[in-house]
Amino acid sequence: MAIEEGLKGELQKQGVYLTTWDQLANWGRSNSIWPLQFGLACCAIEMIASAASRYDIARFGSEIFRASPRQADLMIVAGTVTKKMAPQVVRLYNQMAEPKYIISMGACATSGGPFHKGYNVLKGIDRFIPVDVYIPGCPPTPQALLEGLMKLQERIRSRGLAREIAGKQGEYPIPAFGANGLEPRYNPDVWQPPASVPTPAA
Amino acid sequence: MLPSVEELKTVLEQLLPGVSLTVEGGSLIVPPQQLTTVCRCLKETERFSLDYLSNLTAVDYPSEQRMDVVYHLYSMSKKHGPVSLRVKLPRANPIVASMTPIWRGAEFQEREVYDLFGVTFDGHTDLRRILMWDGFVGHPMRKDYVIEDQDAS
């Protein structure tokens, strides 16, 4: 049952605090997002800087970088995902416990970035696993990463835990190495190629 | 001090009878059959002591049907370098002698050139792909390599 905001404020002045299960659970969940400790390229250096004292990701409860996917809530895909690395990234995501989230940090993880026309880089990790927050930049500054983390916190607070658990996806298929790329090239359940943009009439 | 490229050519041709070199843009062009002789001489002659192969790469010239393998040599003991060597190979079937017996550090660089350019190094003990996976088809740094369309289903 939703409580009227005005009544809630009035009661708080009298020392009575009311909340809901979802709000309480989300408050806890959103303030202790433990990231998976791994980095793929130069974005990882900015991620490390965010964890150090100057930017201090601990202010948001995310300072505990776990070395095991079993103990992590958040995967920060920090850097270039090569075709050779992509199956391992999907496998690590599969090994994380629900509910789990992905931040795609930087141009490479989002779209392939400067390697977009190359032969060896995946054009976005969202082709295989569902990304929650994209952070632009090459690499993004620690401030940008913290902003992305705050966006993720907002997202967690806006959704009920029951819905998160009900929306559990199970394992995502791990791509295999083909003759010149991954097979399949993308997971159609997660990502579809953009519809071709019609060229404006001259 | 290391002599200039022109002097180096003269000195090497005197030291190694039967070897003929040319100078092109600061590099010594070495005939493929004589590469081992020339490299061994550059490493083992006290005056040169080029004991360090800093770089080994290739350049693809499709218009000239040519594949060049490039070697950059330095001397750690004499503190001089670089000496740049180039070997011109036919693009259709590029084979050159491996430099691993002379410089151990050539092993991974030759594997990389084999992987990305498709140059075969004769005498290499473990010539297989190093960056791309084993089932990969083609050599992606060749100019005519067609990049896959990742959006295709």
Side-chain angles (χ1 to χ4, degrees):
Chain A
M1 194 183 87
I3 309 153
E4 204 185 303
E5 280 302 310
L7 176 64
K8 208 170 144 186
E10 211 46 48
L11 285 167
Q12 273 183 17
K13 283 179 199 160
Q14 305 299 320
V16 180
Y17 287 86
L18 290 175
T19 186
T20 63
W21 244 122
D22 266 351
Q23 275 176 4
L24 191 66
N26 286 345
W27 172 73
R29 285 183 333 115
S30 63
N31 287 306
S32 66
I33 307 170
W34 291 4
L36 182 58
Q37 181 179 333
F38 86 112
L40 299 173
C42 36
C43 281
I45 305 300
E46 298 297 305
M47 184 175 72
I48 294 159
S50 318
S53 56
R54 189 179 180 96
Y55 298 101
D56 199 10
I57 205 169
R59 294 178 294 150
F60 305 91
S62 294
E63 77 279 23
I64 307 177
F65 282 81
R66 302 310 296 184
S68 159
R70 311 284 184 199
Q71 302 168 351
D73 307 305
L74 166 67
M75 176 183 248
I76 303 175
V77 184
T80 317
V81 187
T82 56
K83 288 176 183 172
K84 218 173 170 183
M85 193 65 189
Q88 277 72 264
V89 176
V90 178
R91 183 171 283 118
L92 281 171
Y93 180 69
N94 281 342
Q95 289 174 351
M96 286 164 65
E98 295 276 354
K100 53 192 175 183
Y101 304 92
I102 303 177
I103 286 180
S104 165
M105 182 180 180
C108 291
T110 304
S111 69
F115 311 107
H116 193 73
K117 289 186 174 170
Y119 58 90
N120 62 338
V121 172
L122 187 68
K123 294 178 181 176
I125 191 62
D126 56 359
R127 284 164 186 250
F128 290 104
I129 45 180
V131 173
D132 293 280
V133 177
Y134 297 87
I135 304 175
C138 189
T141 57
Q143 293 95 319
L145 177 60
L146 294 178
E147 172 76 14
L149 184 68
M150 285 158 74
K151 288 282 172 220
L152 181 66
Q153 288 183 326
E154 280 172 26
R155 196 185 164 96
I156 291 174
R157 288 188 194 120
S158 69
R159 294 201 290 196
L161 186 57
R163 205 183 119 200
E164 300 261 34
I165 292 168
K168 190 172 149 64
Q169 292 284 317
E171 293 210 345
Y172 287 81
I174 294 165
F177 295 132
N180 50 12
L182 296 168
E183 279 173 10
R185 291 197 176 91
Y186 56 88
N187 179 355
D189 297 337
V190 178
W191 186 88
Q192 287 288 340
S196 56
V197 182
T199 45
Chain B
M1 269 298 286
L2 204 61
S4 71
V5 190
E6 286 78 13
E7 287 173 89
L8 195 62
K9 166 189 147 71
T10 322
V11 174
L12 278 172
E13 281 175 348
Q14 280 168 359
L15 279 172
L16 306 166
V19 167
S20 65
L21 307 167
T22 41
V23 175
E24 206 180 288
S27 328
L28 278 176
I29 310 293
V30 186
Q33 307 79 18
Q34 296 166 348
L35 181 70
T36 311
T37 324
V38 171
C39 285
R40 205 168 276 288
C41 172
L42 286 171
K43 188 190 178 190
E44 289 170 4
T45 309
E46 207 280 319
R47 196 182 149 198
F48 305 132
S49 298
L50 292 160
D51 47 22
Y52 178 52
L53 174 70
S54 107
N55 182 34
L56 192 167
T57 187
V59 190
D60 186 11
Y61 296 101
S63 56
E64 294 158 52
Q65 286 301 306
R66 211 176 86 211
M67 186 81 80
D68 284 13
V69 180
V70 186
Y71 302 82
H72 290 165
L73 309 174
Y74 286 80
S75 171
M76 287 291 127
S77 52
K78 297 266 181 191
K79 308 282 180 216
H80 63 210
V83 170
S84 164
L85 306 179
R86 267 171 39 196
V87 185
K88 295 184 178 180
L89 304 171
R91 193 169 182 277
N93 186 26
I95 301 178
V96 71
S98 170
M99 289 300 111
T100 35
I102 302 172
W103 296 285
R104 193 68 177 78
E107 185 184 345
F108 275 19
Q109 301 203 48
E110 285 179 350
R111 277 180 66 186
E112 185 178 334
V113 170
Y114 165 73
D115 188 353
L116 302 181
F117 289 92
V119 176
T120 307
F121 291 91
D122 197 19
H124 193 290
T125 50
D126 186 25
L127 197 63
R128 59 195 164 94
R129 288 189 184 274
I130 189 169
L131 294 171
M132 309 313 287
W133 51 91
D134 287 336
F136 194 85
V137 176
H139 304 285
M141 292 292 275
R142 284 194 172 213
K143 298 268 188 192
D144 55 2
Y145 181 79
V146 182
I147 293 163
E148 74 153 340
D149 177 9
Q150 283 188 39
D151 290 352
S153 54

